[in-house]
Amino acid sequence: VSGPGRFAATIKQRTQRDAARLSALATLGMVMLTFAAYRSGGAILLAALPLASAAAAGLGAVAFAFGEVHGITLAFGATLIGVAQDYPIHLLSHQRPGLPPRDNARALWPTLATGVVGTCVAYGAFLVSGVAGLAQLGLFTIAGLAAAALTTRLVLPRLMDPAMPDRAGSAALARIDAVLERVRVRRVAVFVLSVGIAAAAAIWFAPGPVWQNNLSALTPLPRELLARDAELRAELGAPDARHLLVVSAPGVDDVLARAEALDPLLAALVESGAIAGYDHAARYLPSVATMRRRQAALPGEAALRAMLATAIGELPFEAATFEPFVVDIASARALPPLTLEALAGSPLETRIGSLLLQRDGHATGIVSLAGLADRAAVERVARQAGASFLDLKGASETLVARYRQRILASLVIAGIILAGVVLLSLRSPARALRVLLPMLLTTFAVVAVLRLAGIPMSLFHLIALVLGAGLGLDYALFFEHAGEDPGARRRTLHGLLVCAASTLMVFALLATSSLPVLRAIGTTVALAVMLNFMFSLAVARGGGTDART
């Protein structure tokens, strides 16, 4: 058993299995981590509230703007708004006795808002990417992150316990902070330059393609299932879903006539072995001219009776035996031509519908090919007949490349705007540079690691890199915000350790998925989390007096 139905069932089963397993493990892990970090069941509920508001706002915004929400938007959007889980963590980690939660939220808001705006600017690139699915994803994420930030700022302080213990008083955290102070990078410029040169060299000199344009490489289907399908199609002489001939005309009948004109040429290709077979709509629904010609070839009543008399001769048939036949022939001569509408509801409707398309007063006919052996010969016939030879795999790869170029251009513009937002917020080129450098270093380093591992990058890697950049911006902003005050530094460290650990756990789980898309996103973001935290420690937190000098 093979074909699209089997493929759909297999993908559904694998997706549901992975979703159930990963969701259960991620939820359990988040609950345990949050409880371990704050020793409070209430903290778990508080941490979940911004995420819930983000999901509701994202769904509402997309439904209002687009009228519907794609399943892929919901699936990836729920992953991308995961950065919102950091917002309540920062608020909880900075709370201490004697500090009203509202004052805590007010003090953190400039840093938090800068990170939210910067991340939303990055996802704004998807809104203008020209890809409907990515536009929905961008709107879902932007609306969700904004809602989560506002929930953290306005709602959580009203629900928090103002007497939460001060995280800066933790002896274990003090030891970790002391270790990080000893290993702080003193020569930030040398560190940044070294990492940048190493990443650039890896990206430039690593073998293999940089980009993955082949969409089939992202399919979650087992290779053996695809191989079996190809074998069955070859044995049955079924059409090749990759290669097609396309004929276009203003009307349906014109397309059918052009397809009929292709018949001698296609038959010659079959005879020469260039193709094993072909199919088109005119084999089931002839053009009006062909039907009229066939009707005209039917004999009149007098001629038909004379033919029957000659054929019957002295055979012992009664005279009335063939009267129904005479009536049917006479009726067939007078019938109006068969139309596409007349086939509605019949078994032929689906068959012809897959080979004949109508849109905006224009008709397109598909000629499916089976067993293509000589592409050059088929292309010559297509040019000779005024048809188009279409390689769906090649066309899809070209489309992916064009979309990627638009997305990359949009991301460059978004990066420039993001840099402006950070500079405007921090009001210091030096501070803005310390915040932006970890994000840039991580992006280059992740790309370098993927190149060295021989993994071509897909659109989903780009999405993951944008998510990783948002996380890096958050880490660097809060390390920069902490300054040199030991208490503030330890509270910030506590919050960022919880943020990084939770994000790393979730995306490390995604990296174990059997679905290539989820595995690509999980691996990329997990790597970005580790590198962002390390580079933010080295550059943003290391931006003290020694580093500045």
Side-chain angles (χ1 to χ4, degrees):
V1 179
S2 187
R6 171 69 185 278
F7 293 166
T10 301
I11 292 174
K12 179 181 178 181
Q13 291 169 359
R14 297 187 69 171
T15 303
Q16 288 179 335
R17 185 176 64 247
D18 271 27
R21 177 178 65 88
L22 296 175
S23 297
L25 290 175
T27 301
L28 179 62
M30 285 297 299
V31 169
M32 293 175 62
L33 180 62
T34 306
F35 186 80
Y38 301 105
R39 298 291 194 276
S40 168
I44 298 173
L45 298 177
L46 290 174
L49 187 57
L51 279 176
S53 65
L59 281 173
V62 173
F64 178 79
F66 293 91
E68 62 180 2
V69 182
H70 295 319
I72 195 71
T73 301
L74 184 59
F76 284 112
T79 300
L80 297 183
I81 62 173
V83 66
Q85 72 186 9
D86 291 1
Y87 305 161
I89 288 175
H90 290 307
L91 190 65
L92 292 170
S93 292
H94 282 81
Q95 184 60 39
R96 58 190 185 275
L99 176 66
R102 292 184 182 182
D103 292 346
N104 181 23
R106 188 180 301 112
L108 291 176
W109 180 244
T111 303
L112 183 63
T114 301
V116 173
V117 172
T119 305
C120 289
V121 166
Y123 283 113
F126 294 152
L127 286 174
V128 295
S129 66
V131 185
L134 289 181
Q136 280 203 12
L137 187 62
L139 180 59
F140 184 97
T141 308
I142 290 171
L145 294 183
L150 291 174
T151 301
T152 303
R153 172 67 178 86
L154 302 175
V155 178
L156 291 195
R158 300 175 180 271
L159 306 176
M160 287 176 58
D161 179 6
M164 291 182 65
D166 188 356
R167 306 298 159 185
S170 168
L173 196 63
R175 288 193 294 270
I176 295 174
D177 185 54
V179 171
L180 294 177
E181 280 298 293
R182 286 196 295 271
V183 300
R184 174 191 284 192
V185 174
R186 301 295 176 177
R187 298 179 179 271
V188 173
V190 175
F191 174 79
V192 170
L193 188 62
S194 301
V195 172
I197 292 175
I203 294 172
W204 184 263
F205 293 108
V210 177
W211 299 106
Q212 175 62 269
N213 294 328
N214 184 6
L215 294 179
S216 64
L218 302 176
T219 178
L221 292 171
R223 298 297 177 188
E224 58 271 16
L225 186 60
L226 294 173
R228 187 183 305 122
D229 180 74
E231 181 182 358
L232 287 171
R233 286 183 175 276
E235 293 291 341
L236 294 171
D240 179 5
R242 173 177 174 177
H243 300 105
L244 306 168
L245 291 182
V246 180
V247 292
S248 300
V252 169
D253 194 62
D254 298 322
V255 168
L256 295 173
R258 292 192 62 188
E260 290 171 343
L262 272 170
D263 270 334
L265 300 173
L266 294 171
L269 288 175
V270 174
E271 186 175 355
S272 67
I275 58 175
Y278 64 92
D279 197 14
H280 55 67
R283 299 182 69 182
Y284 310 97
L285 178 65
S287 65
V288 172
T290 298
M291 285 188 277
R292 292 299 190 193
R293 188 172 63 252
R294 291 174 179 174
Q295 282 182 309
L298 296 173
E301 184 177 348
L304 180 59
R305 291 186 182 279
M307 291 177 183
L308 282 172
T310 301
I312 294 173
E314 297 182 359
L315 295 173
F317 287 104
E318 296 180 3
T321 300
F322 294 99
E323 280 304 311
F325 177 63
V326 174
V327 173
D328 285 346
I329 293 296
S331 175
R333 284 174 56 85
L335 282 175
L338 189 64
T339 63
L340 191 60
E341 291 73 21
L343 295 174
S346 73
L348 285 176
E349 180 184 17
T350 302
R351 182 63 176 169
I352 295 177
S354 66
L355 299 171
L356 187 60
L357 312 174
Q358 296 182 81
R359 184 177 181 181
D360 300 331
H362 189 81
T364 302
I366 305 296
V367 181
S368 60
L369 306 174
L372 178 66
D374 189 343
R375 175 169 175 161
V378 175
E379 289 179 330
R380 283 196 301 271
V381 166
R383 288 193 296 270
Q384 180 182 344
S388 301
F389 176 80
L390 182 61
D391 180 349
L392 291 179
K393 182 175 181 293
S396 67
E397 291 179 355
T398 300
L399 191 62
V400 167
R402 290 176 180 173
Y403 280 150
R404 185 178 60 244
Q405 290 172 357
R406 292 190 61 172
I407 293 171
L408 286 173
S410 301
L411 287 175
V412 169
I413 296 173
I416 295 172
I417 298 174
L418 186 151
V421 168
V422 174
L423 179 61
L424 183 64
S425 174
L426 298 180
R427 295 181 175 82
S428 166
R431 294 180 66 196
L433 186 62
R434 287 197 302 274
V435 167
L436 294 172
L437 272 178
M439 179 180 65
L440 293 174
L441 288 177
T442 295
T443 302
F444 277 105
V446 170
V447 175
V449 171
L450 293 176
R451 293 280 290 130
L452 291 173
I455 301 175
M457 292 177 58
S458 67
L459 291 177
F460 301 104
H461 286 101
L462 280 180
I463 294 173
L465 285 174
V466 174
L467 175 56
L471 294 168
L473 180 65
D474 182 70
Y475 298 167
L477 279 169
F478 273 91
F479 272 132
E480 172 67 23
H481 168 80
E484 297 298 320
D485 177 69
R489 197 172 62 227
R490 290 173 190 174
R491 296 183 196 99
T492 298
L493 180 60
H494 180 274
L496 290 179
L497 283 173
V498 177
C499 290
S502 59
T503 306
L504 181 61
M505 176 191 63
V506 171
F507 285 94
L509 283 172
L510 282 183
T512 67
S513 172
S514 63
L515 305 179
V517 171
L518 293 183
R519 190 164 59 246
I521 292 178
T523 303
T524 304
V525 177
L527 181 60
V529 168
M530 293 186 289
L531 293 177
N532 268 317
F533 194 84
M534 182 180 72
F535 292 150
S536 295
L537 276 171
V539 179
R541 177 175 158 128
T545 306
D546 295 334
R548 291 168 189 167
T549 57

